[in-house]
Amino acid sequence: MSKLENPVLMATIGAAQGLRGEVRVKSFTDDPTALGDYGHLHSADGRLFEVLEIREAKNVVVVRFRGVNDRNAAEALNGLELFIDRDNLPDDDLDEDEFFYADLEGLEAVDGSGKSYGTVTGVFDFGAGDLLELKGPGKRPVLIPFTEWSVLEIDLEGGKMLVDPLAAGLIDDKDESGSPFSAKRK
């Protein structure tokens, strides 16, 4: 059994496919068929999964894992999330303005004056573009759009990201002094 230091969700197993132990898998990698290229996949309960065969199907990939040889074993995996450790992701393939979602979690969201709006606790895509969840002490979590207008700069080394609170929907409007970084008092 192994516990990942910094788990990154790579895929979710769906329904069984056929009788030979194959499963339908929703892969979160850029190239869905590259799922097995990052080493063994881990489940939250510590099991390891090795991809033996993978092929594309409509909206998913069909995967055969080592040791999953019949439909019953395949059905038992339905809904299982598969992870790898962040260290297994190749940084050198990234462009300067590209990031792994896992790297954004934990960053503090600040505006130009240094005011904090909380830290990134999740990255979501409900179909209309990426959203970052921010959670501050004693505040409810809020979702902001992950766009070039709302997130102006990302400093992974410094653990911060510069946000435009107006574009991100964190404040309502400019105040009388014209500063875009403070909300009107009602």
Side-chain angles (χ1 to χ4, degrees), residues 9 28 40 58 96:
L9 179 63
F28 302 117
H40 287 55
K58 191 175 177 183
E96 195 177 306

Side-chain angles (χ1 to χ4, degrees), residues 12-82:
T12 304
I13 298 178
Q17 171 90 17
L19 302 174
R20 294 188 11 239
E22 291 181 322
V23 287
R24 297 166 64 81
V25 175
K26 182 163 178 50
S27 172
F28 302 117
T29 55
D30 249 358
D31 171 9
T33 60
L35 187 60
D37 297 354
Y38 302 98
H40 287 55
L41 297 158
H42 301 248
S43 62
D45 61 11
R47 289 180 285 166
L48 288 178
F49 291 85
E50 181 186 348
V51 174
L52 291 181
E53 293 172 22
I54 189 165
R55 69 179 190 274
E56 284 194 81
K58 191 175 177 183
N59 301 328
V60 293
V61 285
V62 175
V63 179
R64 198 162 74 80
F65 291 110
R66 180 177 302 287
V68 180
N69 299 317
D70 60 43
R71 188 169 180 90
N72 288 345
E75 283 173 349
L77 300 177
N78 196 344
L80 195 66
E81 293 182 325
L82 298 176

